[in-house]
Amino acid sequence: MRQPAGSLRTVLPPWSGGPADAATWNSALETMAPAALAALEGRLLRRQLAWTARASVFYRAKWSDAGVDAARIRRTADLRDLPFTEKSELQAALEGSGAFGTNQCVPLDRLIRMQATGGTTSSPMRMALTRHDAAVYGETGARAAWAAGLRPGDVLFECMNYAMYAGGVNDHMTFETVGACVAPVGVGQSRRLLSVLAGMDVPAALYSTPSYALHLAQVARDEGVEPRDLGLRKGLFSGDAGLENPSIRGAIEQTFGMITRNIYGTSETAPLGAECDEADGLHFTGHGLYAAELVETETGEPIPLEDGAAGELVLTSLDREAHPLVRMRTRDHVRVTVAPCPCGRTGFRFRVLGRADDMFIVRGINVYPQAVGTVLAEFRPEVSGEYEVVLETPPPLVEPPLVRVELAATLSQADRERLRERIVGRVREVLVFTPNVVLLEPESMSRTEGKARRLIRAYLEDTR
Ligand SMILES: [Zn+2]
């Protein structure tokens, strides 16, 4: 692909996509020895930082304010000398400065696709991709999808939000990159999807949030169709944390008779983590495209990527033109493992523990809403799996948090009360705090967002 003068040009080995029985999409990079990868990433990082210093008004100002010289950064291990990028800064950089703000590093006529996702404030976060950035996105996501078992010949129904959400069209294109046949379903189309599936006599694949899959099963049953009879045999899931929860995962596998694989990405990057056939943690698949660091959330201190280490994932783009990201804090807490995997991928694997922003403290114990979700999943099928934790006062909590739990079916008053007491008891047993549980009617909670919002800080909203 010819690039206009002054743009980044890739120095990576050619992108491939091996034969359908290959374990990796890009074996040259995904199985590269750590020392060779570090050397390659050092070159890529120097080039990315030089480009960013030249083209990004946002980063020039940021680095000048911090008194740092990005030209002194020679390898990914030196990144700790540069300041973090908070999503709120990227958001602020959009204001009053053209279509995509001060981190837009190319003229508009080089941009081919934009997104506008939920930002840290009420206004959406706008980002755009050049043709090269879109190809990098496709490559990053293709590796993740391949790891998760997607292959040419698969018919994949993507039930993600396409309405300017990053995971809609962008992820769709990664599946096309793999060579799968992708149907852009979107959300809110469950009945239409069921009627399409009814006429197709081949095994198919689903890409959605875990909660959408459970919702789809319910819609199918309401229509008198057994979810297993839909023929959905591969499930790729992203967007919320349900698949980290063994009982939700088991419920989806059983309900549809499908294999499930977890994929991780952020709205600002691309999918860059996925489970392989071993389904034992998410492989980081960003080799040569994104550098990953682990840091202590409170202090920002780097944490070595060692077995069992836990911290916040921080990402730096290595090959991005329009919106480079240097040490972007994902706010996702992960635990890593570096033990080799039989699939041969090098690098680390990780599990998402929860959102750093969502962690709250009850009686000195750190709690993620996800942990509440894991307990609630034990109560399926009486509950739907949808829930919200509402903090009415700022942590550390003196009052018990309110937990809103959606029922899967209408219950009698007596049954409701019994269920409520069992949930309270089980949360107390597992998480050592006593929640104030409120049960909500079936289908009363919103499912339209890509990432379900599990923590509501009511004390902030009251003061608006
Ligand atoms: Zn593996």
Side-chain angles (χ1 to χ4, degrees):
M1 187 187 316
R2 238 178 82 81
Q3 295 286 339
S7 67
L8 285 173
R9 201 169 287 123
T10 190
V11 295
L12 299 175
W15 297 341
S16 53
D21 61 351
T24 52
W25 169 257
N26 188 329
S27 64
L29 279 156
E30 291 179 78
T31 64
M32 191 175 270
L37 183 65
L40 172 66
E41 292 192 338
R43 281 166 59 205
L44 290 162
L45 178 66
R46 292 194 290 278
R47 190 189 58 155
Q48 176 79 86
L49 293 176
W51 163 264
T52 305
R54 195 165 75 240
S56 170
V57 173
F58 169 74
Y59 277 109
R60 266 208 309 280
K62 184 176 173 61
W63 293 336
S64 155
D65 288 351
V68 294
D69 178 6
R72 298 174 70 107
I73 306 300
R74 309 303 295 164
R75 54 204 182 109
T76 55
D78 302 335
L79 275 169
R80 59 186 301 162
D81 295 334
L82 293 177
F84 291 116
T85 303
E86 300 283 355
K87 294 183 188 182
S88 56
E89 293 174 84
L90 295 170
Q91 186 96 43
L94 291 173
E95 282 170 27
S97 189
F100 298 101
T102 54
N103 194 31
Q104 177 191 328
C105 294
V106 299
L108 271 180
D109 65 5
R110 295 217 34 235
L111 296 172
I112 60 156
R113 195 188 303 159
M114 75 166 279
Q115 65 188 49
T117 51
T120 50
T121 63
S122 53
S123 61
M125 171 93 90
R126 305 186 305 274
M127 286 186 135
L129 304 175
T130 64
R131 196 170 296 284
H132 176 76
D133 293 339
V136 169
Y137 194 114
E139 164 69 13
T140 321
R143 291 182 198 170
W146 192 273
L150 191 71
R151 294 291 182 272
D154 280 324
V155 179
L156 176 79
F157 292 87
E158 181 176 332
C159 301
M160 288 290 192
N161 185 358
Y162 277 71
M164 293 195 270
Y165 170 68
V169 169
N170 287 330
D171 289 1
H172 179 118
M173 298 305 285
T174 72
F175 304 135
E176 286 195 10
T177 303
V178 164
C181 175
V182 199
V185 182
V187 291
Q189 300 291 329
S190 305
R191 285 188 173 75
R192 195 164 155 74
L193 171 59
L194 293 177
S195 64
V196 171
L197 284 170
M200 289 180 68
D201 199 16
V202 295
L206 174 71
Y207 178 56
S208 73
T209 62
S211 51
Y212 177 82
L214 294 170
H215 169 70
L216 179 65
Q218 191 55 48
V219 175
R221 286 183 175 131
D222 290 349
E223 303 266 304
V225 178
E226 197 35 51
R228 267 179 183 267
D229 297 338
L230 296 173
L232 294 168
R233 295 290 173 257
K234 282 184 190 177
L236 278 54
F237 295 99
S238 187
D240 66 33
L243 230 55
E244 303 275 354
N245 179 331
S247 50
I248 298 264
R249 180 174 206 142
I252 293 173
E253 290 178 346
Q254 300 259 312
T255 301
F256 289 95
M258 65 164 46
I259 295 167
T260 59
R261 293 285 180 264
N262 201 4
I263 294 183
Y264 169 87
T266 76
S267 300
E268 296 77 17
T269 59
L272 36 69
E275 291 175 333
C276 67
D277 287 348
E278 305 293 320
D280 187 15
L282 296 151
H283 278 283
F284 179 76
T285 54
H287 306 59
L289 302 168
Y290 286 91
E293 296 173 88
L294 203 60
V295 306
E296 165 72 42
T297 288
E298 303 299 327
T299 63
E301 275 301 306
I303 298 171
L305 282 168
E306 292 169 353
D307 252 347
E312 181 180 334
L313 191 63
V314 170
L315 298 170
T316 296
S317 62
L318 296 174
D319 193 3
R320 186 154 167 167
E321 293 179 328
H323 287 277
L325 300 167
V326 181
R327 304 199 83 203
M328 185 194 72
R329 299 191 68 149
T330 62
R331 312 309 292 183
D332 286 327
H333 275 181
V334 303
R335 186 181 301 282
V336 307
T337 167
V338 292
C341 182
C343 73
R345 287 178 177 81
T346 51
F348 68 98
R349 278 176 284 162
F350 62 106
R351 290 177 198 279
V352 179
L353 300 172
R355 300 270 308 152
D357 297 344
D358 285 356
M359 193 191 79
F360 60 96
I361 297 170
V362 193
R363 294 186 185 179
I365 296 167
N366 295 348
V367 182
Y368 298 100
Q370 220 170 291
V372 177
T374 302
V375 173
L376 293 175
E378 295 174 16
F379 293 89
R380 292 177 48 79
E382 288 163 285
V383 304
S384 71
E386 293 295 323
Y387 67 95
E388 284 171 354
V389 178
V390 184
L391 305 186
E392 288 163 313
T393 57
L397 299 186
V398 285
E399 291 173 44
L402 174 66
V403 180
R404 293 186 186 130
V405 182
E406 189 186 76
L407 292 167
T410 307
L411 294 178
S412 74
Q413 199 52 44
D415 285 345
R416 277 175 87 118
E417 188 46 34
R418 271 194 291 276
L419 176 63
R420 208 191 65 79
E421 282 171 11
R422 281 165 51 218
I423 291 173
V424 170
R426 186 69 182 138
V427 171
R428 187 168 49 221
E429 194 173 30
V430 177
L431 301 174
V432 206
F433 71 87
T434 306
N436 175 14
V437 171
V438 173
L439 299 179
L440 304 179
E441 289 304 312
E443 304 290 312
S444 59
M445 295 178 78
S446 160
R447 289 177 173 74
T448 50
E449 290 303 315
K451 272 192 189 186
R453 192 173 167 213
R454 299 300 186 195
L455 187 74
I456 312 290
R457 294 181 188 270
Y459 60 91
L460 291 177
E461 293 174 13
D462 287 343
T463 58
R464 261 182 210 151

